Amino acid sequence: MKKRVAILGSTGSIGTQALEVIQAQPQAFEVEVLTAHSNADLLIAQAIAFQPNVVVITKDELYDQVRAALEPYPIKVYAGMNAVNGVVQMDSVDMVLTAMVGYAGLQPTIKAIEAGKAIALANKETLVVAGQLITDLARQKGVNIYPVDSEHSAIFQCLAGEFHNPIEKIILTASGGPFRGRDRAYLQTVTKAQALKHPNWDMGAKITIDSASLMNKGLEVIEAKWLFGLRNDQIEVVVHPQSIVHSLVQFEDGSLKAQMGLPDMKLPIQYALNYPNRLKADFPRFNFLHYPQLTFEQPDVETFQNLGLAFAAMERGGNAPCVLNAANEVAVAAFLREEIGFLEMSDLISDCLAKVAYIAKPSLEDYVQTDQEARQVAFSLMQA
Ligand code: NDP
Ligand code: MG
């Protein structure tokens, strides 16, 4: 039986690589649903190539274009976020790959879990915003969440066969991004173009900026807490500029396991889609002799304040990580529009965390409310 996959965000970096994985493993997977936001041309091309049952374009005004182009094919075409929330629940979907960017991933992930669908989770923002709610719901519905993020996939791979052995701690590796070793004076004037040049990974714009600011690692710390049920003090970050050791787990006897390989998201995507079995693949192989030096260093939390802000939001709990995420999304978008500088992103997030009302045990409505409030606060702070 082929696994029938719904790819949310099929036109993005993760989405297109997931389609490459599926194309290379036609005996294992079939595309049931594709969704995109603004890239109608690519969505149409993907639909013609993969012949899914359904496509959804979330920007309503692009519906007519997509529908007209797919008229000759037996493919259903829908528009809007509500349609995404509906199609993830279809009987014909076995697994949902959440590869859209940002807060937009929250609602469809909830809908998919409510319908009992296995989740391959790329959209880390969902667990940052509402980790407690999502993991409680998944437990209640008996749904597994398989990590796609390379660090979390590494930890998950290290845990294979170890699920009954308690974790002492995990160590998330970070590349350090394009500004590793730089000071705040330098960061004061860095441009969008400089921040978009990641040394090791080719990713969407938002996560590339998050990587440059170390917010990505902060979001991943919170993501790891929920995925692996860890206490805050069990999560460490180490900078590893070569991005070969993807992360590590330390067990209670002191043994440290690492998962290694060249930086290539197709491997963790395929592992999540086909867990627990590995599929033969021709992903590029890592050779130690090409990397005679693998190095490790402390993250510079004085220069890159976002990492500390994320740890603080996790410690605070409640809706604080939701505020952190919303403020960061506003800050990154403003930086990409060249309206604020690189260092101003951390200031904005910090100010939002101080201003938005704290809720200790948020409901889903509270998260929706908090997200809106945090965005409003962030916008008004930028105007001030
Ligand atoms: P991209 O920006 O490349 O792609 C984002 C996808 O989401 C696109 O298909 C886009 O559609 C869609 N999208 C954008 N906005 C919305 C919206 N408001 N509603 C619905 N869909 C939307 O991002 P990435 O692929 O890089 O990242 C996706 C997720 O995976 C993020 O959460 C990221 O943190 C995570 N991730 C990514 C990694 C990577 O290597 N890229 C690694 C680990 C995690 P369109 O293009 O049509 O507008
Ligand atoms: Mg990652």
Side-chain angles (χ1 to χ4, degrees), residues 8-17 35-40 42-43 57-58 81 84 98-102 104-105 121-125 148-151 201-208 210 216 219-220 223 265:
L8 311 186
S10 66
T11 48
S13 160
I14 294 290
T16 52
Q17 293 181 84
T35 83
H37 185 58
S38 59
N39 195 340
L42 183 55
L43 179 65
I57 183 92
T58 45
M81 217 46 217
V84 177
T98 65
M100 69 273 270
V101 59
L121 184 128
N123 179 255
K124 65 191 84 184
E125 293 91 343
V148 169
D149 213 345
S150 59
E151 295 77 2
W201 298 94
D202 185 11
M203 310 178 287
K206 194 254 174 184
I207 184 175
T208 305
D210 284 346
N216 182 51
L219 301 179
E220 290 184 357
E223 179 186 16
M265 285 308 296

Side-chain angles (χ1 to χ4, degrees), residues 53-272:
N53 180 8
V54 178
V55 302
V56 183
I57 183 92
T58 45
K59 251 194 177 166
D60 294 301
E61 58 267 36
L62 296 172
Y63 171 73
D64 289 338
Q65 182 194 343
V66 178
R67 207 190 60 115
L70 298 180
E71 187 80 70
Y73 305 94
I75 302 172
K76 297 182 198 76
V77 179
Y78 302 125
M81 217 46 217
N82 280 339
V84 177
N85 291 337
V87 297
V88 295
Q89 300 197 320
M90 296 191 312
D91 286 344
S92 55
V93 169
D94 297 317
M95 179 175 249
V96 176
L97 170 61
T98 65
M100 69 273 270
V101 59
Y103 176 83
L106 178 65
Q107 291 283 358
T109 306
I110 291 174
K111 294 293 172 192
I113 296 173
E114 281 175 347
K117 308 300 182 187
I119 306 290
L121 184 128
N123 179 255
K124 65 191 84 184
E125 293 91 343
T126 290
L127 284 183
V128 172
V129 169
Q132 182 85 63
L133 185 147
I134 293 285
T135 48
D136 285 351
L137 185 64
R139 206 169 297 117
Q140 182 197 329
K141 296 283 173 187
V143 160
N144 290 326
I145 300 177
Y146 302 104
V148 169
D149 213 345
S150 59
E151 295 77 2
H152 307 74
S153 176
I155 290 161
F156 194 52
Q157 292 180 57
C158 292
L159 290 175
E162 306 269 13
F163 289 109
H164 299 290
N165 289 323
I167 295 171
E168 190 165 84
K169 69 173 183 186
I170 64 163
I171 303 170
L172 295 174
T173 53
S175 72
F179 306 135
R180 183 177 61 89
R182 302 294 192 173
D183 59 15
R184 289 180 69 79
Y186 179 89
L187 293 181
Q188 194 82 50
T189 58
V190 293
T191 63
K192 163 185 166 178
Q194 288 172 295
L196 282 172
K197 278 205 186 73
H198 195 278
N200 303 335
W201 298 94
D202 185 11
M203 310 178 287
K206 194 254 174 184
I207 184 175
T208 305
I209 301 302
D210 284 346
S211 298
S213 71
L214 288 203
M215 181 55 92
N216 182 51
K217 212 49 53 182
L219 301 179
E220 290 184 357
V221 165
I222 302 172
E223 179 186 16
K225 172 189 171 73
W226 297 113
L227 277 173
F228 304 113
L230 301 170
R231 294 188 316 271
N232 301 343
D233 65 342
Q234 288 177 295
I235 309 170
E236 285 178 13
V237 172
V238 68
V239 172
H240 166 48
Q242 298 80 20
S243 296
I244 296 297
V245 176
H246 295 310
S247 280
L248 310 96
V249 181
Q250 185 167 305
F251 295 95
E252 289 187 317
D253 59 357
S255 175
L256 197 57
K257 276 170 99 176
Q259 187 265 337
M260 304 171 71
L262 291 171
D264 179 358
M265 285 308 296
K266 289 204 277 293
L267 194 149
I269 291 169
Q270 178 174 291
Y271 191 75

